[in-house]
Coordinates of all heavy atoms in Angstrom, one line a residue:
M134 N 12.6 -17.7 16.7 CA 13.7 -17.2 15.9 C 14.8 -16.7 16.8 O 14.5 -15.9 17.8 CB 13.2 -16.1 15.0 CG 12.4 -16.6 13.8 SD 13.4 -17.7 12.8 CE 13.2 -17.0 11.2
H135 N 16.0 -17.0 16.5 CA 17.2 -16.5 17.3 C 17.9 -15.4 16.5 O 17.9 -15.5 15.3 CB 18.1 -17.7 17.6 CG 17.6 -18.7 18.5 ND1 17.5 -18.5 19.9 CD2 17.0 -19.9 18.2 CE1 16.9 -19.6 20.4 NE2 16.6 -20.4 19.5
K136 N 18.4 -14.6 17.2 CA 19.2 -13.5 16.6 C 20.4 -14.0 16.0 O 21.2 -14.8 16.6 CB 19.6 -12.4 17.7 CG 19.9 -11.1 17.1 CD 20.0 -10.1 18.3 CE 20.2 -8.7 17.7 NZ 21.2 -8.4 16.8
L137 N 20.6 -13.7 14.7 CA 21.8 -14.2 14.0 C 23.1 -13.5 14.4 O 23.0 -12.3 14.7 CB 21.5 -13.9 12.5 CG 22.5 -14.4 11.4 CD1 22.4 -15.9 11.3 CD2 22.1 -13.8 10.1
K138 N 24.1 -14.2 14.5 CA 25.4 -13.6 14.9 C 26.1 -13.1 13.6 O 26.3 -13.8 12.6 CB 26.4 -14.6 15.5 CG 27.6 -13.9 16.0 CD 28.6 -14.9 16.7 CE 29.8 -14.2 17.1 NZ 30.9 -15.1 17.4
I139 N 26.3 -11.8 13.5 CA 26.8 -11.2 12.3 C 28.3 -10.7 12.6 O 28.5 -9.8 13.3 CB 26.0 -10.0 11.8 CG1 24.5 -10.4 11.6 CG2 26.6 -9.3 10.6 CD1 23.6 -9.3 11.2
N140 N 29.2 -11.4 11.9 CA 30.6 -11.0 12.1 C 30.9 -9.8 11.1 O 30.3 -9.7 10.1 CB 31.5 -12.2 11.7 CG 31.4 -13.3 12.7 OD1 31.9 -13.2 13.9 ND2 30.7 -14.4 12.4
N141 N 31.9 -9.0 11.5 CA 32.2 -7.8 10.7 C 31.1 -6.8 10.8 O 30.9 -6.0 9.9 CB 32.6 -8.2 9.3 CG 33.3 -7.1 8.6 OD1 33.9 -6.2 9.2 ND2 33.3 -7.1 7.3
S142 N 30.3 -6.9 11.8 CA 29.2 -5.9 12.0 C 29.8 -4.6 12.7 O 30.8 -4.7 13.3 CB 28.2 -6.5 12.9 OG 27.0 -5.7 13.0
K143 N 29.1 -3.6 12.5 CA 29.5 -2.3 13.1 C 28.4 -1.8 14.0 O 27.3 -2.1 13.8 CB 29.8 -1.3 12.0 CG 31.2 -1.5 11.4 CD 31.5 -0.4 10.4 CE 32.8 -0.6 9.7 NZ 34.0 -0.5 10.6
K144 N 28.8 -0.9 14.9 CA 27.7 -0.3 15.8 C 27.0 0.7 14.9 O 27.5 1.2 13.9 CB 28.4 0.5 16.9 CG 28.9 -0.4 18.0 CD 29.1 0.4 19.3 CE 29.9 -0.3 20.3 NZ 31.3 0.1 20.5
K145 N 25.7 0.9 15.2 CA 24.8 1.7 14.5 C 25.5 3.1 14.3 O 25.9 3.7 15.3 CB 23.5 1.8 15.1 CG 22.4 2.5 14.3 CD 21.0 2.3 14.9 CE 20.0 3.2 14.2 NZ 20.0 3.3 12.8
G146 N 25.5 3.6 13.1 CA 26.1 5.0 12.8 C 27.6 5.0 12.6 O 28.1 6.0 12.3
E147 N 28.3 3.8 12.7 CA 29.7 3.9 12.6 C 30.2 3.6 11.2 O 31.4 3.9 10.9 CB 30.3 2.9 13.6 CG 30.4 3.4 14.9 CD 31.3 2.6 15.9 OE1 31.7 1.5 15.5 OE2 31.5 3.0 17.0
A148 N 29.4 3.0 10.3 CA 29.9 2.7 9.0 C 30.0 3.9 8.2 O 29.2 4.9 8.4 CB 29.0 1.7 8.3
L149 N 30.9 4.0 7.2 CA 31.1 5.2 6.4 C 29.9 5.7 5.7 O 29.6 6.9 5.7 CB 32.2 5.0 5.4 CG 33.7 5.0 5.9 CD1 34.6 4.6 4.7 CD2 34.0 6.3 6.5
W150 N 29.1 4.7 5.1 CA 27.9 5.1 4.4 C 26.9 5.8 5.3 O 26.1 6.7 4.8 CB 27.3 3.9 3.7 CG 26.7 2.9 4.6 CD1 27.3 1.8 5.0 CD2 25.4 2.9 5.1 NE1 26.4 1.1 5.8 CE2 25.2 1.7 5.9 CE3 24.3 3.8 5.0 CZ2 24.0 1.4 6.6 CZ3 23.1 3.4 5.7 CH2 23.0 2.3 6.4
E151 N 26.9 5.5 6.6 CA 25.9 6.1 7.5 C 26.2 7.5 7.8 O 25.4 8.3 8.2 CB 25.8 5.3 8.8 CG 25.2 3.9 8.6 CD 25.1 3.2 9.9 OE1 26.2 2.6 10.3 OE2 24.1 3.1 10.5
K152 N 27.5 7.9 7.5 CA 27.9 9.3 7.8 C 27.6 10.2 6.6 O 27.8 11.4 6.7 CB 29.4 9.3 8.2 CG 29.6 8.7 9.6 CD 31.0 8.5 9.9 CE 31.1 7.7 11.2 NZ 32.4 7.1 11.4
I153 N 27.3 9.6 5.4 CA 27.0 10.4 4.2 C 25.5 10.8 4.4 O 24.6 10.0 4.6 CB 27.1 9.5 3.0 CG1 28.5 9.0 2.8 CG2 26.7 10.3 1.7 CD1 28.7 7.9 1.7
P154 N 25.2 12.1 4.3 CA 23.8 12.5 4.5 C 23.0 12.1 3.3 O 23.5 12.0 2.2 CB 23.9 14.0 4.6 CG 25.3 14.4 4.2 CD 26.1 13.2 4.2
C155 N 21.7 11.9 3.6 CA 20.8 11.5 2.5 C 20.5 12.8 1.7 O 20.3 13.9 2.2 CB 19.5 11.1 3.2 SG 18.1 10.8 2.0
T156 N 20.6 12.6 0.4 CA 20.4 13.8 -0.5 C 19.2 13.6 -1.4 O 19.0 14.3 -2.4 CB 21.7 14.0 -1.4 OG1 21.9 12.8 -2.1 CG2 22.9 14.4 -0.6
C157 N 18.3 12.6 -1.0 CA 17.1 12.5 -1.8 C 16.3 13.7 -1.6 O 16.2 14.3 -0.5 CB 16.3 11.3 -1.3 SG 17.2 9.7 -1.6
K158 N 15.6 14.2 -2.7 CA 14.8 15.3 -2.6 C 13.4 14.9 -2.0 O 12.6 14.4 -2.8 CB 14.7 16.0 -3.9 CG 15.9 16.7 -4.3 CD 15.8 17.4 -5.7 CE 17.2 17.7 -6.3 NZ 17.1 17.8 -7.7
K159 N 13.2 15.2 -0.8 CA 12.0 14.8 -0.2 C 10.9 15.8 -0.6 O 11.1 17.0 -0.7 CB 12.1 14.8 1.4 CG 13.2 13.9 1.9 CD 12.6 12.5 2.3 CE 13.6 11.4 2.3 NZ 14.7 11.6 3.2
G160 N 9.7 15.3 -0.9 CA 8.6 16.2 -1.2 C 8.5 16.4 -2.7 O 7.5 17.0 -3.2
T161 N 9.5 16.0 -3.5 CA 9.4 16.2 -4.9 C 9.4 14.9 -5.6 O 9.9 14.7 -6.7 CB 10.6 17.0 -5.4 OG1 11.8 16.4 -5.0 CG2 10.6 18.4 -4.9
I162 N 8.8 13.9 -5.0 CA 8.9 12.5 -5.4 C 8.1 12.4 -6.8 O 8.4 11.5 -7.5 CB 8.3 11.6 -4.3 CG1 8.8 10.2 -4.5 CG2 6.8 11.7 -4.2 CD1 10.1 9.8 -3.9
I163 N 7.2 13.3 -7.1 CA 6.4 13.1 -8.3 C 7.3 13.5 -9.5 O 7.3 12.8 -10.5 CB 5.2 14.1 -8.3 CG1 4.2 13.6 -7.2 CG2 4.4 14.1 -9.6 CD1 3.2 14.6 -6.6
Q164 N 8.2 14.5 -9.4 CA 9.1 14.8 -10.5 C 10.3 13.9 -10.6 O 10.8 13.7 -11.6 CB 9.6 16.2 -10.3 CG 8.6 17.3 -10.4 CD 8.1 17.8 -9.1 OE1 7.7 17.0 -8.2 NE2 8.1 19.1 -8.9
E165 N 10.7 13.3 -9.4 CA 11.8 12.4 -9.4 C 11.4 11.0 -9.7 O 10.3 10.6 -9.4 CB 12.5 12.4 -8.0 CG 13.0 13.8 -7.5 CD 14.3 14.1 -8.2 OE1 15.2 13.2 -8.2 OE2 14.4 15.2 -8.7
H166 N 12.3 10.3 -10.3 CA 12.1 8.9 -10.5 C 12.1 8.2 -9.1 O 13.0 8.4 -8.3 CB 13.2 8.3 -11.3 CG 12.9 6.9 -11.8 ND1 13.0 5.8 -11.0 CD2 12.4 6.4 -13.0 CE1 12.6 4.7 -11.7 NE2 12.3 5.1 -12.9
P167 N 11.0 7.5 -8.8 CA 10.9 7.0 -7.4 C 12.0 6.0 -7.0 O 12.3 5.8 -5.8 CB 9.5 6.3 -7.4 CG 9.0 6.2 -8.8 CD 9.8 7.2 -9.6
Y168 N 12.7 5.4 -8.0 CA 13.7 4.4 -7.6 C 15.1 5.0 -7.6 O 16.1 4.3 -7.4 CB 13.6 3.2 -8.6 CG 12.3 2.5 -8.5 CD1 11.4 2.7 -9.5 CD2 11.9 1.8 -7.4 CE1 10.1 2.1 -9.4 CE2 10.7 1.2 -7.3 CZ 9.8 1.4 -8.3 OH 8.6 0.8 -8.2
K169 N 15.2 6.3 -7.9 CA 16.5 6.9 -7.9 C 16.8 7.3 -6.4 O 16.3 8.3 -5.9 CB 16.5 8.2 -8.8 CG 17.8 8.6 -9.2 CD 17.7 9.8 -10.1 CE 18.9 10.7 -10.0 NZ 18.7 12.1 -10.4
L170 N 17.7 6.5 -5.8 CA 18.0 6.7 -4.4 C 19.4 7.3 -4.3 O 20.3 7.0 -5.2 CB 18.0 5.4 -3.7 CG 16.6 4.8 -3.5 CD1 16.8 3.4 -2.9 CD2 15.7 5.6 -2.7
C171 N 19.7 8.1 -3.3 CA 21.0 8.6 -3.1 C 21.9 7.5 -2.5 O 21.4 6.4 -2.2 CB 21.0 9.8 -2.1 SG 20.7 9.3 -0.4
T172 N 23.2 7.7 -2.5 CA 24.2 6.7 -2.0 C 23.8 6.2 -0.6 O 23.8 5.0 -0.3 CB 25.6 7.3 -1.9 OG1 25.9 7.9 -3.2 CG2 26.6 6.3 -1.6
H173 N 23.4 7.1 0.3 CA 23.0 6.7 1.6 C 21.9 5.7 1.6 O 21.9 4.7 2.3 CB 22.6 8.0 2.4 CG 22.2 7.7 3.8 ND1 23.1 7.7 4.9 CD2 21.0 7.3 4.3 CE1 22.4 7.3 6.0 NE2 21.1 7.1 5.7
C174 N 20.8 6.0 0.9 CA 19.6 5.2 0.9 C 19.9 3.9 0.2 O 19.4 2.8 0.6 CB 18.5 5.9 0.2 SG 17.9 7.3 1.2
K175 N 20.8 3.9 -0.9 CA 21.1 2.6 -1.5 C 21.9 1.7 -0.6 O 21.6 0.5 -0.5 CB 22.0 2.9 -2.7 CG 21.3 3.1 -4.0 CD 22.3 3.2 -5.2 CE 22.1 4.4 -5.9 NZ 23.2 4.8 -6.8
C176 N 22.8 2.3 0.2 CA 23.5 1.5 1.2 C 22.6 1.0 2.2 O 22.8 -0.1 2.7 CB 24.7 2.3 1.8 SG 25.9 2.7 0.6
K177 N 21.6 1.8 2.6 CA 20.7 1.4 3.7 C 19.9 0.2 3.2 O 19.6 -0.7 4.0 CB 19.8 2.6 4.1 CG 19.0 2.3 5.3 CD 18.3 3.6 5.8 CE 17.5 3.3 7.1 NZ 16.8 4.4 7.6
L178 N 19.4 0.3 2.0 CA 18.7 -0.9 1.4 C 19.5 -2.1 1.5 O 19.0 -3.2 1.8 CB 18.3 -0.6 0.0 CG 17.0 0.1 -0.3 CD1 16.7 0.1 -1.8 CD2 15.8 -0.6 0.4
Q179 N 20.8 -2.0 1.1 CA 21.7 -3.2 1.2 C 21.8 -3.7 2.6 O 21.8 -4.9 2.8 CB 23.0 -2.8 0.6 CG 23.0 -2.9 -0.9 CD 24.2 -2.1 -1.5 OE1 24.1 -1.1 -2.1 NE2 25.4 -2.7 -1.3
W180 N 21.9 -2.8 3.6 CA 21.9 -3.2 5.0 C 20.6 -3.9 5.4 O 20.7 -4.9 6.1 CB 22.2 -2.0 5.8 CG 22.1 -2.3 7.3 CD1 21.2 -1.7 8.1 CD2 22.8 -3.2 8.1 NE1 21.3 -2.3 9.4 CE2 22.3 -3.2 9.4 CE3 23.8 -4.1 7.8 CZ2 22.8 -4.0 10.4 CZ3 24.3 -5.0 8.9 CH2 23.8 -4.9 10.1
L181 N 19.5 -3.4 4.9 CA 18.2 -4.0 5.3 C 18.0 -5.3 4.7 O 17.1 -6.1 5.1 CB 17.1 -3.0 4.9 CG 17.0 -1.7 5.7 CD1 15.9 -0.8 5.1 CD2 16.7 -2.0 7.2
S182 N 18.8 -5.7 3.6 CA 18.6 -7.0 3.0 C 19.4 -8.1 3.7 O 19.3 -9.2 3.4 CB 19.1 -6.9 1.5 OG 20.5 -6.8 1.4
V183 N 20.2 -7.7 4.7 CA 21.0 -8.6 5.5 C 20.1 -9.3 6.5 O 19.4 -8.6 7.2 CB 22.2 -7.9 6.2 CG1 23.0 -8.9 7.1 CG2 23.1 -7.2 5.2
P184 N 20.1 -10.6 6.6 CA 19.3 -11.3 7.5 C 19.7 -11.0 9.0 O 20.8 -10.7 9.3 CB 19.5 -12.8 7.2 CG 20.7 -12.9 6.4 CD 20.9 -11.6 5.8
Q185 N 18.7 -11.0 9.8 CA 19.0 -10.6 11.2 C 18.7 -11.8 12.2 O 19.0 -11.8 13.3 CB 18.1 -9.4 11.7 CG 18.3 -8.2 10.9 CD 19.7 -7.5 11.2 OE1 20.2 -7.5 12.3 NE2 20.3 -7.1 10.1
T186 N 18.0 -12.8 11.7 CA 17.7 -14.0 12.5 C 18.2 -15.2 11.8 O 18.4 -15.2 10.6 CB 16.2 -14.1 12.7 OG1 15.5 -14.1 11.5 CG2 15.6 -13.0 13.6
N187 N 18.3 -16.3 12.5 CA 18.8 -17.6 12.0 C 17.9 -18.0 10.9 O 16.7 -17.8 10.9 CB 18.8 -18.7 13.1 CG 19.8 -18.4 14.2 OD1 20.5 -17.4 14.2 ND2 19.8 -19.3 15.2
F188 N 18.5 -18.7 9.9 CA 17.7 -19.2 8.8 C 18.2 -20.6 8.3 O 19.3 -21.0 8.7 CB 17.7 -18.2 7.6 CG 19.0 -17.8 7.1 CD1 19.6 -18.5 6.0 CD2 19.7 -16.8 7.7 CE1 20.9 -18.1 5.6 CE2 21.0 -16.4 7.3 CZ 21.6 -17.1 6.2
I189 N 17.4 -21.2 7.5 CA 17.7 -22.6 7.1 C 18.1 -22.6 5.6 O 17.5 -21.9 4.8 CB 16.4 -23.5 7.2 CG1 15.8 -23.4 8.6 CG2 16.7 -24.9 6.7 CD1 16.6 -24.1 9.7
V190 N 19.2 -23.3 5.3 CA 19.7 -23.4 3.9 C 19.9 -24.9 3.7 O 20.1 -25.7 4.7 CB 21.0 -22.7 3.6 CG1 20.7 -21.2 3.6 CG2 22.1 -23.1 4.5
K191 N 20.0 -25.3 2.4 CA 20.3 -26.7 2.1 C 21.8 -26.8 1.9 O 22.4 -25.9 1.2 CB 19.6 -27.1 0.9 CG 18.1 -27.3 1.1 CD 17.5 -28.4 0.2 CE 16.0 -28.5 0.4 NZ 15.6 -29.1 1.7
N192 N 22.5 -27.7 2.4 CA 23.9 -27.9 2.2 C 24.1 -28.7 0.9 O 23.1 -29.1 0.2 CB 24.6 -28.5 3.4 CG 24.2 -30.0 3.6 OD1 23.5 -30.6 2.8 ND2 24.7 -30.5 4.7
K193 N 25.4 -29.0 0.6 CA 25.7 -29.7 -0.7 C 25.0 -31.0 -0.8 O 24.7 -31.5 -1.9 CB 27.2 -29.8 -0.9 CG 27.8 -28.5 -1.3 CD 29.3 -28.6 -1.2 CE 30.0 -27.2 -1.2 NZ 31.3 -27.2 -0.5
K194 N 24.7 -31.7 0.3 CA 24.1 -33.0 0.3 C 22.6 -32.9 0.3 O 21.9 -33.9 0.4 CB 24.6 -33.8 1.5 CG 26.1 -34.2 1.4 CD 26.6 -34.8 2.7 CE 28.1 -35.1 2.6 NZ 28.6 -35.3 3.9
G195 N 22.0 -31.7 0.3 CA 20.6 -31.5 0.2 C 19.9 -31.5 1.6 O 18.7 -31.6 1.7
K196 N 20.8 -31.5 2.6 CA 20.2 -31.5 4.0 C 20.0 -30.1 4.5 O 20.8 -29.2 4.2 CB 21.2 -32.2 5.0 CG 21.1 -33.7 5.1 CD 22.0 -34.1 6.2 CE 21.7 -35.6 6.5 NZ 22.6 -36.1 7.6
D197 N 18.9 -29.9 5.3 CA 18.7 -28.6 5.8 C 19.6 -28.3 7.0 O 19.8 -29.1 7.9 CB 17.2 -28.5 6.4 CG 16.2 -28.4 5.3 OD1 16.6 -28.1 4.1 OD2 15.0 -28.6 5.6
I198 N 20.3 -27.2 6.9 CA 21.1 -26.8 8.1 C 20.7 -25.4 8.5 O 20.3 -24.5 7.7 CB 22.6 -26.8 7.8 CG1 22.9 -26.0 6.5 CG2 23.1 -28.2 7.7 CD1 24.4 -25.7 6.3
E199 N 20.8 -25.1 9.8 CA 20.4 -23.8 10.4 C 21.7 -23.0 10.4 O 22.7 -23.3 10.9 CB 19.9 -24.0 11.8 CG 19.3 -22.7 12.3 CD 18.8 -22.8 13.7 OE1 19.0 -23.8 14.4 OE2 18.2 -21.8 14.2
V200 N 21.6 -21.8 9.8 CA 22.7 -20.8 9.8 C 22.5 -19.9 11.0 O 21.5 -19.3 11.2 CB 22.7 -20.0 8.5 CG1 23.8 -19.0 8.5 CG2 22.9 -20.9 7.3
K201 N 23.5 -19.9 11.9 CA 23.5 -19.1 13.1 C 24.5 -18.0 13.1 O 24.5 -17.1 14.0 CB 23.8 -20.0 14.3 CG 22.8 -21.1 14.5 CD 23.2 -22.1 15.6 CE 22.2 -23.2 15.7 NZ 22.7 -24.3 16.5
E202 N 25.4 -18.0 12.0 CA 26.4 -17.0 12.0 C 26.8 -16.7 10.6 O 26.9 -17.6 9.8 CB 27.6 -17.6 12.7 CG 28.7 -16.7 13.1 CD 29.8 -17.3 13.9 OE1 29.6 -18.5 14.5 OE2 30.9 -16.7 14.0
I203 N 26.9 -15.4 10.3 CA 27.3 -15.1 8.9 C 28.5 -14.1 9.0 O 28.8 -13.5 10.0 CB 26.2 -14.4 8.1 CG1 25.7 -13.1 8.7 CG2 25.0 -15.4 7.8 CD1 24.8 -12.3 7.8
L204 N 29.2 -14.0 7.9 CA 30.3 -13.0 7.8 C 29.9 -12.0 6.7 O 29.6 -12.4 5.5 CB 31.6 -13.7 7.4 CG 32.8 -12.8 7.1 CD1 33.2 -12.1 8.3 CD2 34.0 -13.6 6.5
L205 N 29.8 -10.8 7.1 CA 29.4 -9.7 6.2 C 30.6 -9.2 5.3 O 31.7 -9.1 5.8 CB 29.0 -8.6 7.1 CG 27.9 -7.6 6.6 CD1 26.6 -8.4 6.2 CD2 27.5 -6.6 7.7
K206 N 30.3 -9.0 4.1 CA 31.4 -8.5 3.2 C 31.0 -7.0 2.9 O 29.8 -6.7 2.6 CB 31.4 -9.3 1.9 CG 31.9 -10.6 2.1 CD 31.9 -11.4 0.8 CE 32.3 -12.8 0.9 NZ 32.0 -13.6 -0.3
R207 N 31.9 -6.1 3.0 CA 31.6 -4.7 2.8 C 32.4 -4.1 1.7 O 33.5 -4.5 1.3 CB 32.0 -4.0 4.1 CG 31.1 -4.3 5.3 CD 31.6 -3.6 6.5 NE 30.8 -4.0 7.7 CZ 29.6 -3.3 8.0 NH1 29.2 -2.3 7.3 NH2 28.9 -3.7 9.0
G208 N 31.7 -3.1 1.1 CA 32.3 -2.3 0.0 C 33.2 -1.2 0.5 O 33.4 -1.1 1.7
K209 N 33.6 -0.2 -0.4 CA 34.5 0.8 0.1 C 33.8 1.8 1.0 O 34.5 2.6 1.7 CB 35.2 1.5 -1.1 CG 34.4 2.1 -2.2 CD 35.4 2.7 -3.2 CE 34.6 3.6 -4.2 NZ 33.9 2.7 -5.2
L210 N 32.5 1.9 1.0 CA 31.8 2.8 1.9 C 31.3 2.0 3.1 O 30.5 2.4 3.9 CB 30.6 3.4 1.2 CG 30.9 4.4 0.1 CD1 29.6 4.8 -0.6 CD2 31.6 5.6 0.7
E211 N 31.9 0.8 3.2 CA 31.6 -0.1 4.3 C 30.1 -0.6 4.3 O 29.6 -1.0 5.3 CB 32.0 0.5 5.7 CG 33.4 0.8 5.8 CD 33.8 1.4 7.1 OE1 33.0 2.1 7.8 OE2 35.0 1.3 7.5
E212 N 29.5 -0.5 3.1 CA 28.1 -0.9 3.0 C 28.1 -2.4 2.8 O 29.0 -3.0 2.1 CB 27.5 -0.2 1.8 CG 27.8 -0.7 0.4 CD 29.1 -0.3 -0.1 OE1 30.0 0.1 0.6 OE2 29.3 -0.4 -1.3
P213 N 27.1 -3.1 3.3 CA 27.1 -4.6 3.1 C 26.9 -4.9 1.6 O 26.0 -4.3 0.9 CB 25.8 -5.0 3.8 CG 25.5 -3.9 4.8 CD 26.0 -2.6 4.1
Q214 N 27.8 -5.8 1.1 CA 27.7 -6.1 -0.4 C 27.3 -7.6 -0.5 O 27.1 -8.1 -1.6 CB 29.0 -5.8 -1.0 CG 29.2 -4.4 -1.2 CD 30.2 -4.1 -2.4 OE1 31.1 -4.8 -2.6 NE2 29.9 -3.0 -3.1
G215 N 27.3 -8.3 0.6 CA 26.9 -9.7 0.5 C 27.4 -10.3 1.8 O 27.9 -9.6 2.7
W216 N 27.2 -11.6 1.9 CA 27.6 -12.3 3.1 C 27.7 -13.7 2.8 O 27.2 -14.2 1.9 CB 26.6 -12.0 4.3 CG 25.2 -12.0 3.8 CD1 24.4 -11.0 3.5 CD2 24.3 -13.2 3.7 NE1 23.2 -11.4 3.1 CE2 23.1 -12.7 3.2 CE3 24.5 -14.5 3.9 CZ2 22.0 -13.6 3.0 CZ3 23.4 -15.4 3.7 CH2 22.2 -14.9 3.2
E217 N 28.5 -14.4 3.6 CA 28.6 -15.9 3.5 C 28.3 -16.4 4.9 O 28.6 -15.8 5.9 CB 30.0 -16.3 3.0 CG 31.1 -15.8 3.8 CD 32.5 -16.0 3.1 OE1 32.6 -15.8 1.9 OE2 33.4 -16.4 3.8
F218 N 27.8 -17.6 4.9 CA 27.5 -18.2 6.2 C 28.6 -19.1 6.7 O 29.3 -19.7 5.9 CB 26.1 -18.8 6.3 CG 25.8 -19.8 5.1 CD1 26.2 -21.1 5.2 CD2 25.1 -19.3 4.0 CE1 25.9 -22.0 4.1 CE2 24.7 -20.2 3.0 CZ 25.2 -21.5 3.0
L219 N 28.7 -19.2 8.0 CA 29.7 -20.0 8.7 C 29.0 -21.0 9.4 O 28.1 -20.7 10.3 CB 30.5 -19.1 9.6 CG 31.0 -17.8 9.1 CD1 31.5 -16.9 10.2 CD2 32.2 -18.0 8.1
S220 N 29.2 -22.3 9.1 CA 28.6 -23.3 9.9 C 29.3 -24.7 9.5 O 30.0 -24.7 8.5 CB 27.1 -23.4 9.8 OG 26.7 -23.6 8.4
Ligands
ZN101 ZN1 18.4 9.3 0.4

C-alpha cells in the first residue's frame, strides 16, 4: 500500500477543530449517551474516515483505477467533510 497524497491537508494540530478542546465527560459514560460526541470528537471521527493509502475505484466505464491523490473538502471548522479523487 502506498501513502495517499492528500491535497488541502494540514499539519497535525493546525486545523481549527483541533484547537477546540474535547468537552466529552470522561468517566460518566454510563449516564451519557455513548454516541453523543463533542465537536472536537465529531470532527476527529470525520478526519479518521479520510483514506490514508491508495485505493481502487471503478471509473464510469467500469474499469478499476487506482486513486493516488485526493482533494479534501473542509467545513468552517476546517474539519474534513468529504473528498474527491484526482486521477
Ligand atoms: Zn470529545
Side-chain angles (χ1 to χ4, degrees):
M134 283 300 232
H135 293 279
K136 201 173 189 303
L137 188 67
K138 184 177 177 199
I139 303 174
N140 291 288
N141 198 19
S142 190
K143 283 185 180 290
K144 286 198 191 104
K145 192 168 166 46
E147 279 191 353
L149 284 177
W150 69 265
E151 288 179 283
K152 292 171 184 160
I153 302 170
C155 172
T156 56
C157 294
K158 286 180 198 158
K159 301 264 158 61
T161 56
I162 203 89
I163 294 156
Q164 292 99 308
E165 296 284 314
H166 192 283
Y168 300 106
K169 200 179 150 202
L170 295 172
C171 74
T172 305
H173 176 93
C174 291
K175 268 188 236 162
C176 293
K177 189 171 183 179
L178 269 185
Q179 280 163 250
W180 168 243
L181 292 174
S182 73
V183 176
Q185 300 291 320
T186 53
N187 293 2
F188 57 94
I189 306 289
V190 292
K191 288 209 185 292
N192 70 7
K193 284 172 195 150
K194 292 172 185 162
K196 274 190 173 178
D197 285 348
I198 51 164
E199 187 182 10
V200 176
K201 296 172 183 164
E202 193 172 348
I203 61 169
L204 175 65
L205 210 57
K206 291 177 186 169
R207 291 179 182 271
K209 59 175 188 286
L210 292 172
E211 298 177 338
E212 80 284 18
Q214 289 206 321
W216 39 267
E217 56 190 43
F218 49 84
L219 312 165
S220 56

